[in-house]
Amino acid sequence: MNDCATPACHQDVVFSCPVAEGPALGVILEVQGPVIDILCSRLPPLHRAIYVCLNGERYTFEVHRHLDEQRVRAIALHRTSGLRRQMPVFDSGDGLQIPVTPDCLGRLLDMFGQPLDGGLPLVAESFRPIVAPPVPLSEAAGAGDILLTGIKVIDLLCPFVRGGKTGLFGGAGVGKTVLIMEFMNAIVRLHQGVSVFAGVGERIREGHELWHDMRAAGVMPRTLMVFGQMDESPGVRFRIGLAALTYAEYLRDTVAREVLFLMDNAFRFVQAGSELSGLLGRMPATVGYQPTLLSEVAELQERILSTRTGNVTAVEAVYVPADDMTDPAVGAILAHLDTMVILSRSQAAKGIYPAVDPLLSSSSAMDRSIIGDRHYRVAQAVRESLARYRELEDIIAMLGLEALSESDRRTVHRARRLERYLSQPFFVVAEHTGIAGASVPLTATLSDCEALLRGDYDALPEETCYMRGKMAGAGGQA
């Protein structure tokens, strides 16, 4: 700014700026893209939020590295156009903080808690730091029982763990966003909970469509969306997950016992960390990823905890590079997950939605001591039937169904009905599909699967089992 004097680097100089608080911390030495080198009169701690004044507004940086006794390297969280050498830098006195209030529900916000939906700014009840330690072990609650969603294939074969973490692995066009929206709907409808959605590196088209679809589905009043868009600084994309998680922790502690935390996409968080690592001058490690990969993933994942006052259940979309599940980023995320849901393109090609692969998906809750004997027995029988059908598909393609034995033909017919039964119409897309959404209790799913495996519905056409809720009223039961 033209009316601001340049401070000496070792003196406290008062700087006349309407948004500055206190004396200057130092001056800008160098600006390289989002990387800012600063000469300081005193070294601020790592992760401290510092800022400059430009055109009467704050441009915030986060300290990521101490270069020596006088210089720090920070990452800009705003655009850096207009910044120049010798501009005074000020200390905020704390790390990055966001305003929290119960009124945040129903809103679309950025990383700083500023509205993106055209609404009024939040009137903060208090401020919370986004970089904070996890809940102490003495106050944390372990993962509990299963969290029912009303989605048949999820509850039957890869149930969510209440207070646990679920990875949703899927590419474009397989129904990932619709499934995430239905999870939100289920938490609101079945558990009277709330949802927090973190859009990490989202394209503006994706974010805009998701926001409008959730408003149309009636989910938005119990949902908070926090976006760090693809064109923003890597510092924003790296911290947006923690900002959204801070809101989830606040809602868990003050508003609702059940909080669903959704992140799309966890892999973009890793990518932002890799980009930051290169900008900060660190040498890359395995497969070019940052050497701090494991600790950065853990910093986020270990914050997703339940307490005695409420639960935070996480669902994270994860992109798998080149479909390689051994990728270091995927492995780092997998180590923290309780449930793995694989969305299959082959299932989507058959028109089976949700396109969950029933054989590759798994959950740590699939244990007799957790889900009970009946659920475990039925789930195993369904997997066995579908696995046998997969084995026979090549023979059917080459020689036809007639080449199979009578027993195998019966297995194939029942497996095909089971596969179609595990499809389901969703509430959030009922307006587009023209099919009313259905939520199916677990007991009904178990009873229907038992009946299908016994052959009670063998006389029914396969189409009768497709895109419906419960089988009750389908007719044809022996």
Side-chain angles (χ1 to χ4, degrees):
M1 295 178 64
N2 295 331
D3 59 341
C4 298
T6 300
C9 60
H10 292 289
Q11 297 175 358
D12 285 340
V13 178
V14 177
F15 176 64
S16 58
C17 176
V19 292
E21 298 173 2
L25 172 72
V27 294
I28 293 177
L29 282 180
E30 192 172 351
V31 179
Q32 293 186 6
V35 180
I36 315 293
D37 285 355
I38 300 157
L39 183 65
C40 302
S41 57
R42 51 185 169 80
L43 281 182
L46 294 177
H47 308 311
R48 176 63 60 91
I50 57 179
Y51 62 93
V52 299
C53 300
L54 184 63
N55 300 326
E57 296 182 2
R58 284 191 181 191
Y59 280 54
T60 305
F61 316 143
E62 184 181 13
V63 177
H64 276 269
R65 188 174 181 184
H66 291 159
L67 298 177
D68 55 35
E69 293 85 352
Q70 296 182 345
R71 296 182 303 142
V72 298
R73 180 162 289 170
I75 297 295
L77 302 177
H78 295 88
R79 297 185 184 277
T80 55
S81 56
L83 300 184
R84 61 184 184 273
R85 294 176 180 176
Q86 298 302 310
M87 286 186 72
V89 180
F90 298 87
D91 188 353
S92 70
D94 210 332
L96 295 166
Q97 294 192 332
I98 54 174
V100 292
T101 168
D103 296 334
C104 64
L105 288 173
R107 300 301 301 272
L108 183 68
L109 305 175
D110 67 10
M111 195 194 81
F112 303 98
Q114 300 301 313
L116 296 174
D117 53 11
L120 295 174
L122 293 180
V123 178
E125 182 181 86
S126 61
F127 285 82
R128 283 199 176 197
I130 68 170
V131 180
V135 173
L137 284 175
S138 58
E139 299 177 20
D145 55 354
I146 64 174
L147 182 70
L148 297 177
T149 64
I151 302 172
K152 293 179 288 188
V153 67
I154 297 289
D155 292 345
L156 176 67
L157 299 177
C158 45
F160 286 5
V161 179
R162 189 187 301 272
K165 308 177 190 73
T166 296
L168 187 63
F169 298 82
V174 294
K176 176 182 62 182
T177 301
V178 173
L179 193 54
I180 284 177
M181 289 167 59
E182 191 70 8
F183 291 151
M184 293 181 181
N185 185 65
I187 286 292
V188 171
R189 188 184 68 255
L190 298 179
H191 305 284
Q192 289 74 53
V194 298
S195 299
V196 178
F197 179 88
V200 182
E202 287 282 285
R203 301 173 185 89
I204 190 169
R205 171 188 57 80
E206 294 172 334
H208 187 266
E209 290 176 358
L210 181 61
W211 179 42
H212 282 279
D213 285 345
M214 288 202 301
R215 290 173 66 187
V219 178
M220 202 61 204
R222 299 281 288 175
T223 300
L224 166 65
M225 301 183 73
V226 187
F227 276 96
Q229 297 176 55
M230 187 171 281
D231 65 336
E232 294 191 80
S233 160
V236 171
R237 288 181 271 121
F238 185 64
R239 290 303 190 199
I240 193 68
L242 286 177
L245 186 53
T246 303
Y247 278 113
E249 290 172 335
Y250 168 77
L251 294 171
R252 174 198 65 197
D253 298 338
T254 61
V255 175
R257 288 191 55 81
E258 292 291 346
V259 179
L260 181 66
F261 174 71
L262 303 112
M263 179 185 289
D264 187 9
N265 185 303
F267 183 76
R268 292 196 194 121
F269 162 75
V270 173
Q271 282 184 312
S274 181
E275 191 174 340
L276 280 182
S277 183
L279 291 170
L280 293 170
R282 299 192 189 114
M283 290 292 290
T286 309
V287 199
Y289 285 109
Q290 62 269 41
T292 52
L293 171 64
L294 295 178
S295 60
E296 288 173 1
V297 171
E299 181 184 24
L300 175 69
Q301 300 291 345
E302 295 303 304
R303 288 267 301 274
I304 304 173
L305 285 173
S306 298
T307 66
R308 289 185 289 271
T309 60
N311 299 301
V312 176
T313 304
V315 179
E316 306 168 26
V318 183
Y319 168 71
V320 182
D323 295 327
D324 180 13
M325 293 295 289
T326 64
D327 185 88
V330 176
I333 297 168
L334 270 174
H336 296 272
L337 300 181
D338 301 291
T339 303
M340 182 172 65
V341 179
I342 307 293
L343 295 183
S344 164
R345 198 166 296 281
S346 63
Q347 289 289 93
K350 295 177 184 177
I352 307 294
Y353 288 101
V356 176
D357 190 309
L359 302 182
L360 296 180
S361 302
S362 62
S363 171
S364 63
M366 290 300 294
D367 187 281
R368 287 182 189 273
S369 62
I370 298 175
I371 61 176
D373 285 337
R374 185 192 181 201
H375 186 173
Y376 185 83
R377 185 183 68 254
V378 173
Q380 291 300 102
V382 168
R383 285 186 193 275
E384 289 172 9
S385 179
L386 294 173
R388 181 59 179 161
Y389 173 43
R390 291 268 180 95
E391 292 173 1
L392 296 171
E393 278 185 319
D394 288 341
I395 298 175
I396 297 170
M398 290 186 293
L399 303 176
L401 194 60
E402 296 75 16
L404 301 180
S405 66
E406 181 65 30
S407 173
D408 283 343
R409 283 203 297 272
R410 186 165 56 248
T411 297
V412 168
H413 285 307
R414 291 175 184 175
R416 287 175 62 87
R417 284 170 175 78
L418 272 171
E419 187 177 57
R420 282 152 180 75
Y421 171 74
L422 292 178
S423 67
Q424 187 169 339
F426 283 167
F427 290 96
V428 294
V429 290
E431 184 179 335
H432 303 290
T433 62
I435 306 173
S439 178
V440 183
L442 177 60
T443 52
T445 301
L446 296 177
S447 297
D448 288 344
C449 288
E450 287 172 334
L452 286 161
L453 288 165
R454 282 195 308 265
D456 293 356
Y457 295 104
D458 282 359
L460 284 181
E462 293 175 1
E463 293 73 21
T464 310
C465 304
Y466 179 66
M467 278 295 171
R468 63 179 303 130
K470 295 180 286 188
M471 288 298 293
Q477 194 164 355

